Amino acid sequence: IDRALAHFQTGDYLILQNEINGLEYLMTQAARRGLRIVFNPSPIDVSISRLPLGEAWLLIFNEIEGGALVGCDDEEDILNTLRRRWPRCRLLLTLGSHGCVYDDGQRRLRQGIYQAETVDTTAAGDTFCGYFLAGLTKGLPMEDILKYASMASAIAVSRQGASTSIPTWEEVIHFEEAHTKEEL
């Protein structure tokens, strides 16, 4: 872990989920180095309670994981409880067919889904997260990040497979253009 972290610089993103060994140490050391820890608590289990989740810069979770973290299943209660518990952390709650909610402590943004014929949902969440993080690294406005991540997920579910269903940036832009024309 220390050898791997030696290659990071302050402000770099470190993307983690709950399937990685040594998470408690990794998160603590990454926070000491000033890394932006992006954490997805999947698969959720009792070990989560031992982790320093307050060190996360961004938590990405679905409604089941959020409910397990706070002990309820109402999306507003989940977000409000996590906001009180970790006030510095950004929160991204994915809600499947109901879209997502982003909360950075200053504002709460909602993004719906884009309709697509569902063929295979295997890569929907990973596609969404990947495009969300790519938008962050590009410095896009949060509204655009949420929109593009949602569009990319819509494309992904319309295709068979996992990595083969993930669209290119050009495909997402084309999807946006087509969707904009439909709205006019």
Side-chain angles (χ1 to χ4, degrees):
I1 289 173
D2 292 331
R3 244 186 348 262
L5 289 178
H7 299 283
F8 285 83
Q9 296 177 354
T10 299
D12 284 350
Y13 293 95
L14 178 64
I15 304 164
L16 306 170
Q17 69 182 71
N18 199 30
E19 294 177 313
I20 298 171
N21 293 327
L23 265 176
E24 184 176 0
Y25 180 78
L26 176 56
M27 292 176 82
T28 301
Q29 294 305 309
R32 285 186 183 150
R33 294 172 187 263
L35 303 185
R36 293 179 180 180
I37 301 168
V38 177
F39 184 68
N40 180 327
S42 178
I44 195 85
D45 62 24
V46 295
S47 71
I48 291 292
S49 64
R50 295 189 306 268
L51 297 177
L53 296 183
E55 300 293 357
W57 183 81
L58 169 67
L59 284 175
I60 301 175
F61 54 97
N62 64 31
E63 65 271 28
I64 295 167
E65 295 155 350
L69 287 170
V70 302
C72 70
D73 60 2
D74 177 76
E75 86 177 53
E76 290 299 317
D77 288 343
I78 291 169
L79 289 166
N80 291 336
T81 301
L82 293 178
R83 171 64 39 229
R84 282 190 304 274
R85 192 177 292 170
W86 301 305
R88 295 178 311 145
C89 187
R90 288 148 184 83
L91 306 170
L92 179 58
L93 172 60
T94 61
L95 300 163
S97 64
H98 298 287
C100 67
V101 181
Y102 172 81
D103 181 318
D104 63 9
Q106 304 299 316
R107 61 191 172 151
R108 195 169 277 180
L109 302 173
R110 295 183 180 281
Q111 173 66 51
I113 64 164
Y114 289 87
Q115 294 298 321
E117 182 181 339
T118 302
V119 174
D120 186 352
T121 61
T122 303
D126 290 335
T127 300
F128 181 88
C129 290
Y131 269 84
F132 183 87
L133 293 166
L136 285 177
T137 63
K138 290 176 182 280
L140 298 177
M142 186 52 63
E143 294 84 355
D144 289 346
I145 293 171
L146 294 169
K147 177 180 71 171
Y148 291 132
S150 296
M151 288 179 177
S153 287
I155 296 168
V157 301
S158 72
R159 300 174 175 172
Q160 189 67 41
S163 61
T164 57
S165 71
I166 300 171
T168 64
W169 184 252
E170 291 77 21
E171 289 174 305
V172 174
I173 297 303
H174 180 71
F175 184 93
E176 177 187 30
E177 291 167 354
H179 191 75
T180 302
K181 287 179 186 176
E182 288 175 10
E183 292 175 352
L184 298 176

